[in-house]
């Protein structure tokens, strides 16, 4: 057996060390994970779990896919980091792949979703000032959105609960109700530079933009000379059954941000833009020490290879349709499920009573990882390798946990 921390830890010690030494920014479940393989992870006591969260939409290939592990091992032994003052082959290779997939023009690499959105916000402001004049800096975002936790991205996140205690927020953001085109049109002024949206809001509970809305937003941006920034950090790279969530709507963004699934579990983020928008960045405008390092790019290239070879986009669509069907069946048997929302392998079950945290804890006790959102929503974001048999198990355990908890 490989020598890892798992041989030395017990849950009580880890939980105590975390309390003693780690800042208390998370309300963690009392479970210590030490190993993963495919759809499954194991805790320090050897208990097995079916993972229907994938590290919040990150482990697209499941845990420790052998090709991803091999690529990371190979690259780690060759060259991990040199910084962006020099070229490395993996960075333009990854940019080329993402540009070919997205039809956009250029990529900037960073290390997380929030950083990708920071890049998008800075790029949009710079582009708008140069294109339209110095007073064009305002970005409109939608209520219920989630764009990250840095000061700019948490300001872009139109949820007051994430702002409390951190005021004053960054100037230059304006909020409108999601899926309300008239409200958005009314909010655009001669200060507006961009509209920033998730095509399907993830963190607030899987709320898709309507077809008319997103098509209308694209038209509005074209008419008013605004950039459309789509945050596809959660919806991108197969999560919704297409490479990118916006492909369900037949529109294209001017700027798109990616992270999460991109590295298959290795941290990497990307901000893609049209050639026209990307031109606003010149040397010295934006940077990241670690961004686009050879190790992260090799992980992302291997992840994209596996996604293509194993047809994980198609699988996400097919298994996602089955997940929706099974969850809707569960809904017909229960009178406490108000709504099932499921696009590809991005699913939410909304209840008409406050039960999500307790239900998620009960699922965990029964070996199923799901995610509570607020008091009434359970979110499922399984790895893109999920098959019907995993869906059957997950929906059965969810049903049993509901019986036990109700
Ligand atoms: C849509 C969206 N944007 C941005 C982020 C922030 O990404 P990160 O946590 O990698 O900074 C998230 C994370 O959940 C997200 O779902």
């Amino acid at each position: 057996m490989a020598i890892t921390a798992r041989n030395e830890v017990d849950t009580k010690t880890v939980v105590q060390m975390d309390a003693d030494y780690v800042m208390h920014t998370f309300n963690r479940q009392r479970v210590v994970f030490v190993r993963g393989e495919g759809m499954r992870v194991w805790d320090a006591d050897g208990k097995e779990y079916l993972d229907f969260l994938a590290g919040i939409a990150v482990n697209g290939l499941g845990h420790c896919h052998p090709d991803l592990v091999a690529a990371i091992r190979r690259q780690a032994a060759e060259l991990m980091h040199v910084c962006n003052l020099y070229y490395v082959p993996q960075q333009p290779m990854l940019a080329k792949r993402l540009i070919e997939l997205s039809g956009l023009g250029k990529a900037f690499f960073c290390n997380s979703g929030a950083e990708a959105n920071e890049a998008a916000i800075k790029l949009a402001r710079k582009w708008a000032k140069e294109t339209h004049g110095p007073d064009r800096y305002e970005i409109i975002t939608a209520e219920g959105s989630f764009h990250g936790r840095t000061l700019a991205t948490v300001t872009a996140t139109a949820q007051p609960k994430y702002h409390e205690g951190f005021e004053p927020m960054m100037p230059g953001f304006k909020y409108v109700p999601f899926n309300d085109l008239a409200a958005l049109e009314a909010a655009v002024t001669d200060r507006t530079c961009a509209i920033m949206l998730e095509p399907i809001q993830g963190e607030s509970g899987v709320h898709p933009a309507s077809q008319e809305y997103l098509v209308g937003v694209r038209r509005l941006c074209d008419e008013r000379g605004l950039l459309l920034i789509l945050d596809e950090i959660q919806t991108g790279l197969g999560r919704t059954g297409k490479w990118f969530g916006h492909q369900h709507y037949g529109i294209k963004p001017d700027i798109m941000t990616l992270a999460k699934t991109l590295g298959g579990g290795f941290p990497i983020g990307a901000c893609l833009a049209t050639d026209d928008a990307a031109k606003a960045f010149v040397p010295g405008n934006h940077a990241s020490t670690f961004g686009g390092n050879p190790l992260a790019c090799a992980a992302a290239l291997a992840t994209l290879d596996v996604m293509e070879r194993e047809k994980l986009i198609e699988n996400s669509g097919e298994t996602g349709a089955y997940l929706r069907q099974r969850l809707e069946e569960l809904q017909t048997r229960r009178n406490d499920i108000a709504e099932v929302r499921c696009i590809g392998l991005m699913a939410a079950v909304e209840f008409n009573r406050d039960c999500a945290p307790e239900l998620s804890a009960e699922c965990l006790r029964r070996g199923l990882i799901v995610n509570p959102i607020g008091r009434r929503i359970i979110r499922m974001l399984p790895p893109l390798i999920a098959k019907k048999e995993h869906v059957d198990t997950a929906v059965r355990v969810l049903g049993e946990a509901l019986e036990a908890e109700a």
Side-chain angles (χ1 to χ4, degrees):
M1 191 198 277
I3 310 252
T4 66
R6 80 180 107 126
N7 295 333
E8 291 136 36
V9 301
D10 66 85
T11 303
K12 196 163 163 248
T13 311
V14 173
V15 170
Q16 190 56 51
M17 277 172 62
D18 189 273
D20 290 345
Y21 299 114
V22 179
M23 281 197 203
H24 194 190
T25 61
F26 298 99
N27 274 323
R28 302 185 202 272
Q29 300 289 318
R30 200 185 157 81
V31 52
V32 177
F33 288 119
V34 292
R35 189 164 71 86
E37 191 184 316
M39 290 293 298
R40 311 215 169 244
V41 285
W42 286 265
D43 73 13
D45 300 324
K47 180 175 162 183
E48 181 179 304
Y49 299 79
L50 178 63
D51 187 357
F52 258 54
L53 186 55
I56 319 186
V58 168
N59 304 103
L61 314 184
H63 293 273
C64 300
H65 190 289
D67 292 6
L68 177 57
V69 172
I72 291 173
R73 281 206 169 116
R74 215 171 23 245
Q75 191 59 48
E78 195 90 5
L79 184 70
M80 281 194 234
H81 176 81
V82 283
C83 92
N84 283 305
L85 300 177
Y86 312 95
Y87 294 96
V88 291
Q90 294 80 8
Q91 195 179 124
M93 281 165 71
L94 178 60
K96 179 170 186 285
R97 289 283 286 276
L98 293 175
I99 292 312
E100 284 167 0
L101 284 171
S102 65
L104 290 167
K106 297 276 186 290
F108 171 83
F109 292 105
C110 50
N111 314 288
S112 67
E115 280 176 82
N117 283 338
E118 284 277 348
I121 291 165
K122 283 180 71 178
L123 182 63
R125 282 189 173 190
K126 184 107 190 322
W127 175 88
K129 280 173 195 285
E130 283 168 11
T131 308
H132 298 297
D135 293 331
R136 286 274 199 145
Y137 58 83
E138 211 162 64
I139 298 181
I140 305 177
T141 68
E143 287 167 12
S145 58
F146 188 83
H147 298 297
R149 301 296 200 125
T150 61
L151 195 52
T153 60
V154 82
T155 307
T157 296
Q159 299 194 53
K161 67 178 179 190
Y162 292 126
H163 297 176
E164 276 161 29
F166 301 107
E167 302 86 350
M169 307 312 288
M170 275 248 326
F173 288 89
K174 205 169 184 178
Y175 312 125
V176 290
F178 189 48
N179 269 334
D180 183 341
L181 193 57
L184 184 61
E185 268 171 316
V188 172
T189 67
D190 51 13
R191 290 192 189 286
T192 311
C193 85
I195 295 167
M196 181 170 182
L197 298 169
E198 296 156 85
I200 298 150
Q201 291 187 338
E203 191 268 353
S204 62
V206 187
H207 298 287
S210 71
Q211 176 71 27
E212 313 76 69
Y213 181 66
L214 216 50
V215 169
V217 175
R218 178 68 271 179
R219 194 182 325 112
L220 179 64
C221 287
D222 291 340
E223 285 167 5
R224 304 292 293 266
L226 314 175
L227 293 178
L228 175 57
I229 305 172
L230 288 184
D231 176 342
E232 294 247 18
I233 286 160
Q234 191 165 141
T235 51
L237 300 166
R239 177 55 49 197
T240 70
K242 300 213 183 264
W243 275 103
F244 306 108
H246 66 261
Q247 292 171 332
H248 289 282
Y249 298 85
I251 58 127
K252 257 176 67 179
D254 303 296
I255 300 179
M256 170 166 69
T257 51
L258 301 171
K260 291 200 183 271
T261 308
L262 183 55
F266 199 92
I268 179 168
C271 172
L272 312 183
T274 59
D275 277 312
D276 176 49
K279 270 196 263 175
F281 271 169
V282 295
N285 285 162
H286 198 53
S288 162
T289 297
F290 291 125
N293 68 72
L295 188 53
C297 290
L301 283 163
T303 301
L304 295 177
D305 282 346
V306 173
M307 286 175 78
E308 277 174 4
R309 203 180 53 247
E310 296 189 3
K311 300 199 178 341
L312 296 188
I313 313 299
E314 293 84 341
N315 185 65
S316 170
E318 284 159 22
T319 309
Y322 185 66
L323 175 61
R324 170 198 280 270
Q325 180 196 323
R326 294 302 317 271
L327 289 173
E328 285 174 351
E329 275 166 30
L330 181 65
Q331 185 185 15
T332 62
R333 284 185 275 120
R334 304 235 17 135
N335 57 16
D336 53 359
I337 298 183
E339 195 175 25
V340 169
R341 298 183 289 275
C342 185
I343 304 112
L345 287 170
M346 186 171 181
V349 181
E350 183 153 349
F351 296 88
N352 53 26
R353 63 188 179 93
D354 290 352
C355 62
E358 297 77 13
L359 184 58
S360 142
E362 184 60 32
C363 286
L364 196 66
R365 271 193 288 281
R366 292 163 183 265
L368 173 68
I369 303 174
V370 294
N371 169 232
I373 294 181
R375 306 262 341 135
R376 294 194 165 201
I377 298 174
I378 289 284
R379 179 171 54 161
M380 292 179 162
L381 301 163
L384 306 178
I385 58 169
K387 296 283 178 218
K388 286 184 174 175
E389 74 220 48
H390 304 119
V391 169
D392 287 337
T393 306
V395 177
R396 175 179 53 74
V397 174
L398 180 68
E400 289 167 359
L402 261 170
E403 292 289 331
E405 181 276 335

